[in-house]
Amino acid sequence: MNIAVIGKVSSGKSSLINALLKKSRKKAIAEVGAEAGVTTKLKILRLDDRVRLIDSPGLDDVRSENSDITREFLKHIDVGILVVTGAADASQKRYLDDLLAHCESVFVVLNKIDEWDKLSPLALEKVITQWKEVLKIEKIYPVCAFGYDADTLPGTPLNIRGVYWLREDIENFLGSKGKDLLLARHMGEKKSYAVGIVATALVAVAVQAFIPGSAAYITATQGAAIVSLSYLYTGEILSSKAAFALLPAFASEAATTTLFLWVKSFLPPTGVIDIAAAVIAVSITLAILATVNSLLASGAKLEEEELLKSKFRTYRKQAETALKGLALTDLKDLPSLKGIIEKLL
Protein backbone atom coordinates (compact mmCIF):
# COMPACT_ATOMS: atom_id res chain seq x y z
CA MET A 1 0.00 0.00 0.00
CA ASN A 2 1.32 3.42 -1.01
CA ILE A 3 0.22 6.70 0.56
CA ALA A 4 1.32 10.13 -0.70
CA VAL A 5 1.13 13.11 1.65
CA ILE A 6 1.62 16.24 -0.44
CA GLY A 7 1.93 19.85 0.72
CA LYS A 8 4.19 22.85 1.02
CA VAL A 9 7.13 22.85 3.39
CA SER A 10 5.96 23.69 6.95
CA SER A 11 2.35 22.74 6.20
CA GLY A 12 2.52 20.24 9.07
CA LYS A 13 2.60 17.05 7.00
CA SER A 14 4.79 15.13 9.45
CA SER A 15 2.63 16.12 12.40
CA LEU A 16 -0.48 15.10 10.49
CA ILE A 17 1.07 11.70 9.75
CA ASN A 18 1.81 11.18 13.45
CA ALA A 19 -1.74 12.15 14.42
CA LEU A 20 -3.23 10.01 11.66
CA LEU A 21 -1.34 6.98 12.98
CA LYS A 22 -2.38 7.73 16.59
CA LYS A 23 1.20 8.22 17.66
CA SER A 24 2.23 9.72 20.96
CA ARG A 25 4.96 12.34 21.04
CA LYS A 26 7.48 9.76 22.30
CA LYS A 27 6.60 7.31 19.52
CA ALA A 28 6.32 9.76 16.66
CA ILE A 29 6.83 8.50 13.14
CA ALA A 30 10.29 10.12 13.13
CA GLU A 31 11.45 6.94 14.85
CA VAL A 32 10.70 5.06 11.64
CA GLY A 33 13.88 5.06 9.55
CA ALA A 34 13.75 7.05 6.33
CA GLU A 35 14.55 5.13 3.15
CA ALA A 36 18.21 5.50 2.21
CA GLY A 37 19.31 7.41 -0.85
CA VAL A 38 16.63 10.09 -1.15
CA THR A 39 16.81 13.87 -0.96
CA THR A 40 15.99 15.83 2.18
CA LYS A 41 13.10 17.40 0.29
CA LEU A 42 11.47 14.03 -0.13
CA LYS A 43 10.81 11.67 2.78
CA ILE A 44 9.98 8.04 2.11
CA LEU A 45 8.88 6.12 5.15
CA ARG A 46 8.77 2.36 4.79
CA LEU A 47 6.46 1.36 7.63
CA ASP A 48 6.99 -2.32 6.76
CA ASP A 49 7.52 -4.49 3.70
CA ARG A 50 3.97 -3.81 2.50
CA VAL A 51 3.37 -0.15 3.42
CA ARG A 52 5.19 2.91 2.09
CA LEU A 53 4.39 6.52 2.80
CA ILE A 54 5.84 9.49 0.93
CA ASP A 55 5.98 12.98 2.43
CA SER A 56 6.71 15.47 -0.36
CA PRO A 57 5.89 18.99 -1.61
CA GLY A 58 4.43 17.45 -4.78
CA LEU A 59 4.42 14.41 -7.05
CA ASP A 60 6.87 16.26 -9.34
CA ASP A 61 9.43 16.02 -6.55
CA VAL A 62 8.74 12.29 -6.35
CA ARG A 63 9.27 11.98 -10.11
CA SER A 64 12.47 14.03 -10.08
CA GLU A 65 14.00 11.70 -7.49
CA ASN A 66 13.79 9.01 -10.22
CA SER A 67 14.93 6.16 -7.98
CA ASP A 68 13.71 2.58 -8.16
CA ILE A 69 11.67 3.30 -5.05
CA THR A 70 9.87 6.36 -6.41
CA ARG A 71 9.25 4.84 -9.85
CA GLU A 72 7.65 1.82 -8.24
CA PHE A 73 5.67 4.05 -5.90
CA LEU A 74 4.23 6.13 -8.74
CA LYS A 75 2.87 3.05 -10.51
CA HIS A 76 0.16 2.71 -7.90
CA ILE A 77 -0.79 5.15 -5.14
CA ASP A 78 -3.71 4.01 -3.01
CA VAL A 79 -4.30 7.20 -1.05
CA GLY A 80 -3.29 10.78 -1.76
CA ILE A 81 -3.53 13.46 0.93
CA LEU A 82 -3.15 17.13 -0.02
CA VAL A 83 -2.28 19.24 3.03
CA VAL A 84 -2.97 22.97 2.81
CA THR A 85 -2.81 25.78 5.37
CA GLY A 86 -3.80 29.40 5.75
CA ALA A 87 -5.70 31.44 3.18
CA ALA A 88 -6.98 29.81 0.00
CA ASP A 89 -4.28 29.48 -2.66
CA ALA A 90 -5.34 28.67 -6.22
CA SER A 91 -1.82 27.45 -7.07
CA GLN A 92 -2.51 24.31 -5.02
CA LYS A 93 -5.06 23.20 -7.63
CA ARG A 94 -2.34 21.74 -9.85
CA TYR A 95 -1.06 19.58 -6.98
CA LEU A 96 -4.57 18.33 -6.35
CA ASP A 97 -5.13 17.56 -10.04
CA ASP A 98 -1.86 15.61 -10.13
CA LEU A 99 -2.97 13.54 -7.13
CA LEU A 100 -6.41 12.91 -8.64
CA ALA A 101 -4.74 11.60 -11.80
CA HIS A 102 -2.50 9.14 -9.96
CA CYS A 103 -4.30 8.08 -6.76
CA GLU A 104 -7.25 5.81 -6.21
CA SER A 105 -8.65 8.16 -3.57
CA VAL A 106 -7.69 11.71 -2.60
CA PHE A 107 -8.37 13.63 0.63
CA VAL A 108 -7.83 17.37 1.09
CA VAL A 109 -6.83 18.57 4.56
CA LEU A 110 -6.84 22.13 5.90
CA ASN A 111 -4.20 21.83 8.60
CA LYS A 112 -3.32 24.13 11.52
CA ILE A 113 -6.88 25.27 12.23
CA ASP A 114 -5.63 26.37 15.65
CA GLU A 115 -4.52 29.54 13.84
CA TRP A 116 -8.18 30.60 13.89
CA ASP A 117 -8.82 29.82 17.56
CA LYS A 118 -8.77 33.49 18.57
CA LEU A 119 -11.00 34.59 15.72
CA SER A 120 -14.71 34.24 15.12
CA PRO A 121 -15.84 30.70 14.17
CA LEU A 122 -17.17 32.27 10.98
CA ALA A 123 -13.60 33.14 9.95
CA LEU A 124 -12.64 29.47 9.70
CA GLU A 125 -15.86 28.61 7.88
CA LYS A 126 -15.12 31.38 5.38
CA VAL A 127 -11.61 30.04 4.69
CA ILE A 128 -12.94 26.49 4.28
CA THR A 129 -15.49 27.75 1.75
CA GLN A 130 -12.78 29.64 -0.15
CA TRP A 131 -10.55 26.55 -0.33
CA LYS A 132 -13.47 24.50 -1.66
CA GLU A 133 -14.06 27.10 -4.35
CA VAL A 134 -10.44 27.44 -5.56
CA LEU A 135 -9.81 23.68 -5.49
CA LYS A 136 -13.29 22.87 -6.87
CA ILE A 137 -13.95 20.21 -4.24
CA GLU A 138 -16.97 19.36 -2.09
CA LYS A 139 -15.19 18.15 1.04
CA ILE A 140 -12.21 19.34 3.04
CA TYR A 141 -11.03 18.11 6.43
CA PRO A 142 -10.19 20.92 8.90
CA VAL A 143 -7.64 19.51 11.36
CA CYS A 144 -5.09 20.39 14.00
CA ALA A 145 -2.09 18.21 14.83
CA PHE A 146 -0.08 20.41 17.14
CA GLY A 147 2.55 19.26 19.62
CA TYR A 148 4.88 16.87 17.78
CA ASP A 149 7.59 19.46 17.12
CA ALA A 150 10.77 18.77 19.09
CA ASP A 151 10.81 22.40 20.22
CA THR A 152 7.40 22.16 21.89
CA LEU A 153 7.63 23.09 25.56
CA PRO A 154 7.77 20.05 27.89
CA GLY A 155 4.38 19.18 29.35
CA THR A 156 2.45 20.76 26.48
CA PRO A 157 -0.38 18.37 25.55
CA LEU A 158 -0.96 17.30 21.99
CA ASN A 159 -3.73 19.27 20.31
CA ILE A 160 -5.36 16.82 17.89
CA ARG A 161 -8.62 17.88 16.27
CA GLY A 162 -10.56 16.70 13.23
CA VAL A 163 -8.15 13.85 12.47
CA TYR A 164 -10.67 11.19 13.55
CA TRP A 165 -12.98 11.93 10.61
CA LEU A 166 -10.11 11.94 8.12
CA ARG A 167 -8.79 8.65 9.50
CA GLU A 168 -12.24 7.07 9.45
CA ASP A 169 -12.86 7.94 5.79
CA ILE A 170 -9.39 6.73 4.76
CA GLU A 171 -9.95 3.47 6.65
CA ASN A 172 -13.38 3.01 5.07
CA PHE A 173 -11.85 3.42 1.62
CA LEU A 174 -9.02 1.00 2.40
CA GLY A 175 -11.57 -1.42 3.87
CA SER A 176 -13.41 -1.43 0.55
CA LYS A 177 -10.13 -2.53 -1.04
CA GLY A 178 -9.34 -5.12 1.64
CA LYS A 179 -6.31 -3.10 2.77
CA ASP A 180 -7.49 -1.58 6.06
CA LEU A 181 -5.39 -3.93 8.21
CA LEU A 182 -2.22 -2.83 6.40
CA LEU A 183 -2.64 0.63 7.90
CA ALA A 184 -4.22 -0.47 11.20
CA ARG A 185 -1.08 -2.51 11.88
CA HIS A 186 0.86 0.76 12.34
CA MET A 187 -1.59 2.59 14.57
CA GLY A 188 -0.32 3.60 17.97
CA GLU A 189 -3.54 2.29 19.50
CA LYS A 190 -4.89 -1.02 18.20
CA LYS A 191 -7.76 -1.91 20.51
CA SER A 192 -10.48 -0.34 18.37
CA TYR A 193 -9.29 -2.38 15.37
CA ALA A 194 -9.24 -5.58 17.42
CA VAL A 195 -12.81 -4.81 18.53
CA GLY A 196 -13.84 -4.45 14.88
CA ILE A 197 -12.24 -7.78 13.91
CA VAL A 198 -13.91 -9.62 16.80
CA ALA A 199 -17.32 -7.98 16.25
CA THR A 200 -17.33 -8.83 12.55
CA ALA A 201 -16.50 -12.46 13.38
CA LEU A 202 -19.29 -12.67 15.97
CA VAL A 203 -21.92 -11.34 13.59
CA ALA A 204 -20.79 -13.90 10.99
CA VAL A 205 -20.91 -16.75 13.53
CA ALA A 206 -24.40 -15.74 14.69
CA VAL A 207 -25.63 -16.10 11.11
CA GLN A 208 -23.63 -19.24 10.34
CA ALA A 209 -25.16 -21.11 13.29
CA PHE A 210 -28.38 -21.41 11.26
CA ILE A 211 -26.67 -22.89 8.18
CA PRO A 212 -26.41 -26.67 7.62
CA GLY A 213 -22.80 -27.69 8.21
CA SER A 214 -22.37 -24.63 10.43
CA ALA A 215 -19.44 -26.10 12.39
CA ALA A 216 -17.14 -25.81 9.38
CA TYR A 217 -18.19 -22.22 8.66
CA ILE A 218 -17.81 -21.18 12.30
CA THR A 219 -14.37 -22.79 12.52
CA ALA A 220 -13.27 -21.00 9.33
CA THR A 221 -14.49 -17.66 10.71
CA GLN A 222 -12.64 -18.19 13.99
CA GLY A 223 -9.46 -19.09 12.13
CA ALA A 224 -9.70 -16.06 9.83
CA ALA A 225 -10.21 -13.73 12.81
CA ILE A 226 -7.18 -15.20 14.58
CA VAL A 227 -5.09 -14.59 11.44
CA SER A 228 -6.30 -10.96 11.31
CA LEU A 229 -5.56 -10.34 14.99
CA SER A 230 -2.11 -11.85 14.60
CA TYR A 231 -1.30 -9.57 11.68
CA LEU A 232 -2.65 -6.52 13.54
CA TYR A 233 -0.27 -7.03 16.46
CA THR A 234 2.74 -8.74 14.92
CA GLY A 235 2.73 -7.78 11.25
CA GLU A 236 3.23 -11.43 10.41
CA ILE A 237 0.77 -13.45 8.34
CA LEU A 238 -0.14 -16.49 10.42
CA SER A 239 -0.88 -19.49 8.24
CA SER A 240 -4.39 -20.94 8.29
CA LYS A 241 -2.86 -24.21 9.48
CA ALA A 242 -1.26 -22.48 12.47
CA ALA A 243 -4.49 -20.63 13.30
CA PHE A 244 -6.62 -23.79 13.16
CA ALA A 245 -4.03 -25.64 15.27
CA LEU A 246 -4.98 -23.41 18.20
CA LEU A 247 -8.66 -24.35 18.15
CA PRO A 248 -8.38 -27.88 19.67
CA ALA A 249 -6.98 -26.34 22.87
CA PHE A 250 -10.11 -24.23 23.20
CA ALA A 251 -12.36 -27.15 22.25
CA SER A 252 -10.90 -29.29 25.03
CA GLU A 253 -11.88 -26.60 27.54
CA ALA A 254 -15.44 -26.44 26.20
CA ALA A 255 -15.95 -30.06 25.17
CA THR A 256 -19.69 -30.27 25.85
CA THR A 257 -20.67 -27.12 23.98
CA THR A 258 -18.27 -27.90 21.14
CA LEU A 259 -19.85 -31.35 20.75
CA PHE A 260 -23.31 -29.78 20.77
CA LEU A 261 -22.37 -27.35 17.99
CA TRP A 262 -20.79 -30.14 15.97
CA VAL A 263 -23.83 -32.43 16.23
CA LYS A 264 -26.27 -29.59 15.61
CA SER A 265 -24.45 -28.65 12.38
CA PHE A 266 -25.65 -31.93 10.83
CA LEU A 267 -29.30 -31.34 11.77
CA PRO A 268 -31.88 -29.51 9.65
CA PRO A 269 -33.01 -26.04 10.87
CA THR A 270 -34.97 -26.46 14.08
CA GLY A 271 -35.75 -22.97 15.38
CA VAL A 272 -35.14 -23.01 19.11
CA ILE A 273 -32.06 -25.23 18.87
CA ASP A 274 -30.65 -22.96 16.15
CA ILE A 275 -31.02 -19.94 18.42
CA ALA A 276 -29.33 -21.79 21.30
CA ALA A 277 -26.51 -22.80 18.96
CA ALA A 278 -26.07 -19.20 17.79
CA VAL A 279 -25.78 -17.93 21.37
CA ILE A 280 -23.26 -20.64 22.28
CA ALA A 281 -21.25 -20.14 19.08
CA VAL A 282 -21.02 -16.39 19.65
CA SER A 283 -20.06 -16.86 23.31
CA ILE A 284 -17.33 -19.42 22.55
CA THR A 285 -15.99 -17.38 19.63
CA LEU A 286 -15.88 -14.24 21.77
CA ALA A 287 -13.92 -16.09 24.47
CA ILE A 288 -11.50 -17.55 21.90
CA LEU A 289 -10.81 -14.22 20.21
CA ALA A 290 -10.59 -12.29 23.50
CA THR A 291 -7.98 -14.82 24.63
CA VAL A 292 -5.96 -14.51 21.42
CA ASN A 293 -6.19 -10.71 21.55
CA SER A 294 -5.01 -10.62 25.16
CA LEU A 295 -1.97 -12.77 24.45
CA LEU A 296 -0.98 -10.89 21.30
CA ALA A 297 -1.45 -7.48 22.95
CA SER A 298 0.84 -8.52 25.81
CA GLY A 299 3.48 -9.94 23.47
CA ALA A 300 2.94 -13.54 24.62
CA LYS A 301 3.22 -16.47 22.22
CA LEU A 302 0.04 -18.16 21.02
CA GLU A 303 1.81 -21.51 21.24
CA GLU A 304 1.84 -21.36 25.07
CA GLU A 305 -1.02 -23.85 25.45
CA GLU A 306 -1.45 -23.73 29.23
CA LEU A 307 -1.60 -19.93 29.21
CA LEU A 308 -4.02 -20.14 26.31
CA LYS A 309 -6.34 -22.48 28.24
CA SER A 310 -6.11 -20.47 31.45
CA LYS A 311 -6.99 -17.21 29.71
CA PHE A 312 -9.79 -18.91 27.80
CA ARG A 313 -11.44 -20.17 30.99
CA THR A 314 -11.47 -16.62 32.36
CA TYR A 315 -12.78 -15.04 29.18
CA ARG A 316 -15.39 -17.76 28.70
CA LYS A 317 -17.03 -16.85 32.00
CA GLN A 318 -16.85 -13.15 31.18
CA ALA A 319 -18.28 -13.72 27.70
CA GLU A 320 -21.22 -15.71 29.05
CA THR A 321 -21.96 -12.95 31.54
CA ALA A 322 -21.61 -10.19 28.96
CA LEU A 323 -23.91 -11.91 26.45
CA LYS A 324 -26.49 -13.06 28.98
CA GLY A 325 -29.97 -11.87 28.16
CA LEU A 326 -29.14 -10.62 24.66
CA ALA A 327 -31.69 -11.26 21.95
CA LEU A 328 -30.75 -12.90 18.64
CA THR A 329 -31.14 -9.52 16.91
CA ASP A 330 -28.50 -8.10 19.26
CA LEU A 331 -26.09 -10.88 18.31
CA LYS A 332 -26.40 -9.86 14.68
CA ASP A 333 -26.05 -6.14 15.39
CA LEU A 334 -22.48 -4.87 14.91
CA PRO A 335 -22.75 -1.66 17.01
CA SER A 336 -24.33 -3.54 19.95
CA LEU A 337 -21.61 -6.18 19.92
CA LYS A 338 -18.82 -3.61 19.67
CA GLY A 339 -19.91 -2.04 22.95
CA ILE A 340 -19.80 -5.41 24.72
CA ILE A 341 -16.45 -6.37 23.19
CA GLU A 342 -14.91 -3.00 24.06
CA LYS A 343 -15.56 -3.67 27.75
CA LEU A 344 -14.33 -7.27 27.57
CA LEU A 345 -11.06 -6.51 25.80
Side-chain angles (χ1 to χ4, degrees), residues 241-259:
K241 182 179 180 180
F244 291 135
L246 300 173
L247 298 179
F250 297 122
S252 67
E253 291 294 316
T256 303
T257 49
T258 301
L259 179 61

Side-chain angles (χ1 to χ4, degrees), residues 24-102:
S24 66
R25 187 181 286 119
K26 290 182 178 180
K27 295 184 178 180
I29 198 67
E31 291 186 6
V32 179
E35 195 79 48
V38 296
T39 66
T40 55
K41 196 174 183 181
L42 177 68
K43 296 179 184 176
I44 301 182
L45 305 176
R46 187 186 289 279
L47 302 186
D48 63 26
D49 290 342
R50 299 178 182 85
V51 182
R52 273 187 306 221
L53 189 151
I54 278 188
D55 170 348
S56 172
L59 288 183
D60 281 341
D61 295 282
V62 181
R63 294 186 187 95
S64 63
E65 180 64 31
N66 196 31
S67 65
D68 290 341
I69 299 165
T70 54
R71 285 196 298 272
E72 186 66 27
F73 183 92
L74 288 166
K75 288 180 182 178
H76 183 88
I77 307 175
D78 298 273
V79 173
I81 303 173
L82 176 64
V83 184
V84 299
T85 60
D89 177 2
S91 69
Q92 294 297 300
K93 182 70 167 62
R94 71 183 185 90
Y95 295 104
L96 175 61
D97 290 342
D98 203 7
L99 282 175
L100 290 170
H102 292 86

Side-chain angles (χ1 to χ4, degrees), residues 250-269:
F250 297 122
S252 67
E253 291 294 316
T256 303
T257 49
T258 301
L259 179 61
F260 167 75
L261 291 175
W262 184 79
V263 172
K264 184 269 158 197
S265 69
F266 292 97
L267 300 175

Side-chain angles (χ1 to χ4, degrees), residues 196-211 213-230 238 240 243-244 247 250 281-282 284-286 288-290 292 331 334 337:
I197 291 169
V198 175
T200 300
L202 296 190
V203 171
V205 164
V207 174
Q208 291 163 350
F210 291 84
I211 303 173
S214 57
Y217 293 107
I218 291 170
T219 299
T221 297
Q222 292 169 342
I226 290 172
V227 170
S228 294
L229 287 171
S230 177
L238 189 69
S240 298
F244 291 135
L247 298 179
F250 297 122
V282 169
I284 292 294
T285 301
L286 176 54
I288 289 173
L289 299 183
V292 170
L331 297 178
L334 198 60
L337 284 174

